[in-house]
Amino acid sequence: MVDTVNPTATAVPQKIQKNSTFTSNASSLITNVADNGGADSVTYSITKIPSTDKVGYFTAEVTLNDQSNNQSVIEIPVTVYDETTPIVGNSILTGNDFNITIEDLKKGVSNSNLTNLILEKSDSKAWDIVTGKEIETISVAQNDLDFSKGSYSALIRAQDSNNKIVEKTIKITVIDGYLEFSSVDTNLDFGKISVSSTEKIYNLYTDSNIAIEDSRGIDSDNWKLTAKIVTPLTYENSELKETLYYVDNSNNTFIFNNEESTIIEQSAVDKYKITNLELKNDNSSGLHLKMLPGQGKVGNYSGVIQWSLKNAP
């Protein structure tokens, strides 16, 4: 009678520390060896050795041969871990610290995808050490991310089918930050103005706003916003004799001319901040045009204001 039945064995899941040498003892990787010719007649060797230079789930292979040249390959689950890898029961969670730019961080938030962004960037994964099966319930339990340069953290959480929870804290470094205009309304319209024999003051006809974004975080210092008139209001080489000025919420008045006027002075902040300059308001604040009596002729007047952001230590 010819023996055509392959030998069998049960894999012994392995846990090994990162950068350690994988065992060369094939018998330590299997148990319950069985064969028609008897377990003692089976030879076995390691035919696949996993890399141990990276934390994660891998596999080794042990090949069994009996006296009738029947062969079986047993896949061995191998978990490579380090001192930062949490293990609870048979569940293990890995995740790496990572760097991210302001731009990528904003994309994650704007797409309502911050959790997925953190999980993807950190390469967070969880699995069962015995079966090698991935634990799909993994989330970001909390984070303190801010849209400014600096170091932050996130708590990654995985929960297995038995409701056991394993957690790991990772470090997130936002590597850049800026002081910049995030929006500037370039069309400031005072609407239709009538030539008058008396002095008149006009507000902007359309809603207008300047938004300044400071994401420099730990590198932040004081800054200021200045404004000056580059081109006066003119029409067919006729310059409009007027006064353009801004009134802030504290009723401070800033006259615009051909020299820079400081409109806002802001102290350094270590967190993300947006500063809004409302140029049109229903009250006394905002940008105003004061017309002197009898000034102007019929026509469309236009001019140019230059806004500048400057560091002001």
Side-chain angles (χ1 to χ4, degrees), residues 15 19-20 32 43 55 62 69 79 85 95 159 167 180 199 208 214 221 280 298 309:
K15 288 192 300 184
N19 294 325
S20 296
N32 300 326
T43 61
V55 172
V62 173
N69 292 323
T79 294
T85 310
Q159 183 172 336
E167 295 178 332
E180 59 186 352
E199 180 180 280
S208 298
D214 191 353
D221 52 21
K280 180 182 184 296
V298 175
L309 276 177

Side-chain angles (χ1 to χ4, degrees), residues 33-175:
V33 178
D35 186 68
N36 284 344
D40 292 340
S41 67
V42 178
T43 61
Y44 27 84
S45 60
I46 300 174
T47 50
K48 177 184 176 184
I49 299 176
S51 172
T52 64
D53 61 355
K54 182 180 179 182
V55 172
Y57 175 78
F58 305 96
T59 58
E61 288 181 357
V62 173
T63 298
L64 282 62
N65 291 277
D66 65 13
Q67 292 180 336
S68 299
N69 292 323
N70 298 308
Q71 186 179 88
S72 296
V73 176
I74 308 300
E75 187 175 87
I76 315 298
V78 178
T79 294
V80 179
Y81 67 95
D82 62 16
E83 63 277 1
T84 69
T85 310
I87 301 174
V88 176
N90 290 328
S91 298
I92 188 169
L93 172 64
T94 64
N96 304 313
D97 300 339
F98 67 91
N99 297 339
I100 191 170
T101 64
I102 292 286
E103 182 180 0
D104 285 344
L105 182 56
K106 285 183 178 179
K107 287 179 181 177
V109 174
S110 64
N111 294 334
S112 300
N113 200 30
L114 183 58
T115 292
N116 288 340
L117 178 71
I118 293 174
L119 294 176
E120 178 184 345
K121 291 286 187 180
S122 65
D123 195 25
S124 292
K125 296 176 182 176
W127 66 93
D128 185 292
I129 294 173
V130 175
T131 65
K133 184 177 180 181
E134 184 176 350
I135 298 173
E136 296 181 356
T137 305
I138 184 169
S139 62
V140 179
Q142 61 187 52
N143 74 85
D144 61 353
L145 270 173
D146 187 70
F147 294 128
S148 54
K149 185 176 181 179
S151 295
Y152 307 94
S153 63
L155 180 65
I156 310 299
R157 176 179 295 164
Q159 183 172 336
D160 66 16
S161 58
N162 295 317
N163 293 323
K164 287 185 177 180
I165 292 175
V166 56
E167 295 178 332
K168 181 177 183 179
T169 298
I170 61 168
K171 179 182 176 183
I172 302 171
T173 302
V174 180
I175 59 176

